[in-house]
Amino acid sequence: MEFQLPAGIAIDNTEGLKSSYQINGNGITALLSNEKLIELLELYTDLLPEPIFFFIEIPCDESEERALRHEDSKESHYRLYYLDNCTRPVIKALIECYGELLTGDGVCRFGFGQNGGDDELYVQDFKVIDISCSSEAMRKDVVKMLKSCCANEVSSIVTPWEILSDDNEAVCTTAEVDDFTVFDIPTSLEDAGMYFDRIV
């Protein structure tokens, strides 16, 4: 099956990208074809003990970026928001409501974890996934989950970062579902308890 990028990410040549994962101690780095991302979120959050937190990192606007960026730096900054102490049904509803948007977007980063624990899944730039596991048992469960999402273990994972060059550039854009974008999520979830934490 051909590797699929999210709608919000375009790369000229995706040769070398495949659904795969690399084990680093109790941590795992993974890359999945986009049609498997929502399934991964559902399976992973089913593994997490309650309460569960959700977080999202959204790019700062231009005025914030001008104030934050050091001269000659290309580093971008993000506004980090949290929704803490969620039950599993709340997380399931959140994925059902926002999963398509989160997995299709090209500019946000997001994840889920256990409140008060060390288990966390972090979907980063280009949808590269870092998974922290608090135990060997959890790591084994995560590996089983990744295999069910058609990912194969590799010794050295190839992500979009490894294939990008001056001749193979990427364009990342904001996805939109029914006139709603990831920039609207913090306001939409404000009444549920989502709060701004800091700029990262």
Side-chain angles (χ1 to χ4, degrees):
M1 182 181 295
E2 184 178 355
F3 187 88
Q4 294 183 17
L5 290 170
I9 299 175
I11 300 175
D12 294 337
N13 182 357
T14 61
E15 185 177 352
L17 298 183
K18 58 184 180 180
S19 292
S20 54
Y21 65 92
Q22 176 184 334
I23 298 174
N24 313 295
N26 272 345
I28 298 173
T29 301
L31 185 71
L32 291 185
S33 190
N34 190 64
E35 77 277 4
K36 290 292 184 179
L37 278 178
I38 291 180
E39 179 182 349
L40 175 76
L41 300 181
E42 292 171 339
L43 291 171
Y44 180 76
T45 52
D46 276 344
L47 292 177
L48 288 176
E50 296 178 330
I52 302 168
F53 65 83
F54 164 66
F55 68 92
I56 185 169
E57 297 174 358
I58 302 171
C60 290
D61 63 31
E62 289 184 13
S63 61
E64 288 175 314
E65 196 60 68
R66 281 195 300 270
L68 292 164
R69 184 173 289 176
H70 298 294
E71 188 175 353
D72 297 328
S73 172
K74 293 184 179 181
E75 181 183 7
S76 297
H77 296 83
Y78 293 76
R79 297 178 63 86
L80 171 61
Y81 295 86
Y82 277 100
L83 182 63
D84 291 328
N85 298 310
C86 298
T87 62
R88 188 164 288 104
V90 168
I91 291 296
K92 285 184 177 293
L94 191 152
I95 294 172
E96 183 176 349
C97 185
Y98 302 115
E100 180 184 354
L101 184 63
L102 289 167
T103 58
D105 187 77
V107 301
C108 78
R109 309 187 300 210
F110 68 94
F112 300 89
Q114 178 193 3
N115 274 108
D118 296 324
D119 292 303
E120 181 180 297
L121 179 149
Y122 181 21
V123 182
Q124 303 180 79
D125 295 328
F126 296 114
K127 297 297 186 273
V128 178
I129 305 157
D130 271 351
I131 306 174
S132 300
C133 303
S134 62
S135 66
E136 177 70 11
M138 182 64 165
R139 185 180 67 79
K140 288 181 178 179
D141 285 340
V142 170
V143 166
K144 184 178 179 181
M145 172 193 76
L146 288 166
K147 288 180 177 178
S148 75
C149 291
C150 302
N152 296 313
E153 183 178 358
V154 294
S155 59
S156 182
I157 192 168
V158 176
T159 72
W161 291 111
E162 280 71 54
I163 66 170
L164 294 179
S165 67
D166 290 341
D167 297 322
N168 191 35
E169 297 182 334
V171 176
C172 298
T173 57
T174 303
E176 189 174 296
V177 176
D178 297 328
D179 297 323
F180 191 92
T181 75
V182 292
F183 291 90
D184 299 311
I185 289 178
T187 301
S188 178
L189 291 176
E190 187 174 5
D191 288 344
M194 176 161 271
Y195 62 91
F196 169 70
D197 184 68
R198 65 187 186 275
I199 290 178
V200 295

